[in-house]
Amino acid sequence: MCSPGEAPPGPAPAGDLPPEWETDDERMAFLFSAFKQSREVNSTEWDSKMAFWVGLVLARGRRRGAVRTCLRELQNGFERRGSVPLGLGTVLRELLRRGKLQRESDFMASVDSSWISWGVGVFILKPLKWTLSSVLGDSKIPEEEEVLIYVELLQEKAEEVYRLYQSSALSSHPVVALSELRSLCAGLCPDERTFYLLLLQLQKEKRVTILEQNGEKIVKFARGLHAKVSPMNDVDIGVYQLMQSEQLLSQKVESLSQEAEKCKEDARSACRAGKKQLALRCLKSKRRTERRIEELHSKLDAVQGILDRIYASQTDQMVFNAYQAGVGALKLSMKDVTVERAENLVDQIQEV
């Protein structure tokens, strides 16, 4: 079923339609009629009708900001007084031939992406469609609900994702969690399927590479606007794990700080109530928590120091050197990561 998702389908606003749409019934009757089987019968009329609908179809996609569409969605969008254009299928076939549209299944098949397999809930493709498309090519009129992609719009939006990432705090290092990137792009990609399509386009352009590490999806970006991304390596994964460790330690410090403040308030309440023993216990608990916070701060500073040197690196080789100097050949599995594991990593770093 066609469900582009970027915006609810419906009739095009009057301002997006040409003046004759409401004023020239004779002209519109011609435009809404089916194309002649052969263009040679009357090439002038055929070309005039094709130019009209090609412009409207492309403009509708751009107005909606939707990279995906289908024949049924367009028929609904261009309904006029209860009638739908009979030649839209021919128009879409022509746009496929010109490369302005592409079948979604063909696009995904053209990108070598093993990570598509884990988007089972998002990408449900029928191999039969791939086979039909590859055999018949673009000579086949799309089915009513077959999803098509606006090629130029997909490329433009993929570029927006890349620039959005480059201008964000996430770009301090080229490796980022897929979930963080999805949150960053929420305004640009209103649905998950579009987000994945844009990532596929960036991968096709060799500007990102994607890896699944112990259940976590990691995206690596090319360093420059015109650079090609290098393959994900152990150092990239190690740096990413350090970044995760920094977050875990920071969260633990924040949690313990709140706990220490609570102990302080409990001690005051106990004093006011004349419960001196309880107040003393609360103060001891506060001191133990504060000592724990100091220990974690020390470990957090060590991780942040390594990451600062890595973030300041301008090339992959500099990142490698900074990482090697900081952590050597240490590994931190993303599986069952805990604050204690993060602390153990820091202890090992200090020993190195």
Side-chain angles (χ1 to χ4, degrees):
M1 180 177 180
C2 175
S3 54
E6 293 90 342
D16 294 330
L17 298 170
E20 64 263 40
W21 192 272
E22 294 297 337
T23 61
D24 193 338
D25 289 342
E26 183 178 350
R27 168 72 171 160
M28 295 312 299
F30 161 69
L31 292 170
F32 267 60
S33 65
F35 282 82
K36 300 295 184 184
Q37 190 168 5
S38 172
R39 176 179 175 274
E40 304 306 320
V41 173
N42 189 327
S43 61
T44 301
E45 286 189 356
W46 201 97
D47 291 344
S48 171
K49 185 186 296 187
M50 181 61 69
F52 176 87
W53 286 113
V54 162
L56 276 188
V57 169
L58 295 178
R60 177 175 171 82
R62 191 163 292 281
R63 175 183 61 80
R64 295 175 66 235
V67 301
R68 301 165 59 245
T69 190
C70 67
L71 176 55
R72 176 168 294 179
E73 185 270 320
L74 290 170
Q75 288 172 334
N76 292 337
F78 293 124
E79 183 179 339
R80 180 181 184 268
R81 300 177 185 176
S83 299
V84 298
L86 300 179
L88 272 181
T90 304
V91 174
L92 296 186
R93 181 176 63 187
E94 177 64 14
L95 285 170
L96 285 167
R97 188 189 68 80
R98 296 183 189 182
K100 296 296 185 180
L101 291 178
Q102 184 178 14
R103 289 178 167 86
E104 185 186 53
S105 56
D106 285 347
F107 171 73
M108 288 191 285
S110 72
V111 185
D112 182 17
S113 299
S114 59
W115 57 273
I116 291 181
S117 61
W118 48 255
V120 175
V122 178
F123 294 118
I124 303 175
L125 297 176
K126 296 180 180 179
L128 176 60
K129 282 195 175 182
W130 289 24
T131 304
L132 285 175
S133 180
S134 61
V135 171
L136 299 176
D138 294 332
S139 63
K140 170 176 165 282
I141 289 179
E143 300 171 13
E144 281 194 347
E145 297 180 348
E146 184 176 5
V147 180
L148 307 172
I149 295 172
Y150 290 101
V151 174
E152 291 180 2
L153 198 56
L154 180 70
Q155 294 169 348
E156 291 170 12
K157 282 188 169 290
E159 178 69 20
E160 287 183 54
V161 168
Y162 191 83
R163 291 184 180 277
L164 181 62
Y165 165 79
Q166 291 290 352
S167 62
S168 73
L170 296 177
S171 65
S172 56
H173 185 68
V175 178
V176 61
L178 181 70
S179 57
E180 292 182 289
L181 184 63
R182 178 71 183 98
S183 297
L184 178 68
C185 299
L188 183 62
C189 309
D191 64 277
E192 193 175 27
R193 192 173 186 120
T194 297
F195 174 64
Y196 286 155
L197 286 172
L198 298 183
L199 280 185
L200 279 171
Q201 178 62 33
L202 288 173
Q203 182 178 344
K204 188 175 184 179
E205 296 171 3
K206 300 188 185 306
R207 302 171 81 181
V208 305
T209 185
I210 301 169
L211 177 72
E212 183 172 5
Q213 175 74 9
N214 294 323
E216 184 82 11
K217 286 78 179 179
I218 308 171
V219 184
K220 181 180 181 181
F221 281 80
R223 282 189 167 273
L225 287 176
H226 305 293
K228 302 297 183 185
V229 67
S230 58
M232 196 92 69
N233 56 41
D234 289 344
V235 172
D236 293 322
I237 295 171
V239 172
Y240 175 77
Q241 291 168 342
L242 276 176
M243 294 161 66
Q244 298 302 298
S245 298
E246 179 189 28
Q247 291 183 13
L248 286 168
L249 290 169
S250 297
Q251 291 168 4
K252 186 63 175 178
V253 167
E254 176 64 24
S255 173
L256 289 174
S257 297
Q258 294 175 2
E259 185 179 324
E261 186 63 27
K262 184 177 183 303
C263 289
K264 180 179 176 181
E265 291 301 321
D266 289 346
R268 287 176 175 173
S269 297
C271 281
R272 286 195 294 267
K275 301 177 180 179
K276 294 185 178 181
Q277 292 299 320
L278 177 59
L280 287 173
R281 286 197 296 272
C282 290
L283 288 174
K284 287 181 180 179
S285 179
K286 174 178 174 291
R287 285 194 292 271
R288 283 196 303 270
T289 303
E290 288 174 340
R291 285 195 297 270
R292 180 72 173 138
I293 291 172
E294 290 177 6
E295 293 172 2
L296 288 178
H297 262 304
S298 175
K299 299 175 188 299
L300 182 58
D301 289 344
V303 170
Q304 289 175 335
I306 297 170
L307 288 174
D308 286 345
R309 290 192 293 274
I310 289 171
Y311 294 158
S313 303
Q314 300 299 311
T315 66
D316 286 343
Q317 184 59 47
M318 291 173 67
V319 170
F320 177 81
N321 293 339
Y323 179 79
Q324 289 292 85
V327 302
L330 297 175
K331 304 289 184 182
L332 176 64
S333 172
M334 287 301 295
K335 183 179 181 181
D336 299 326
V337 171
T338 63
V339 172
E340 288 69 26
R341 289 181 65 83
E343 291 181 67
N344 290 338
L345 172 66
V346 179
D347 292 338
Q348 293 176 67
I349 292 171
Q350 291 171 335
E351 290 175 11
V352 172

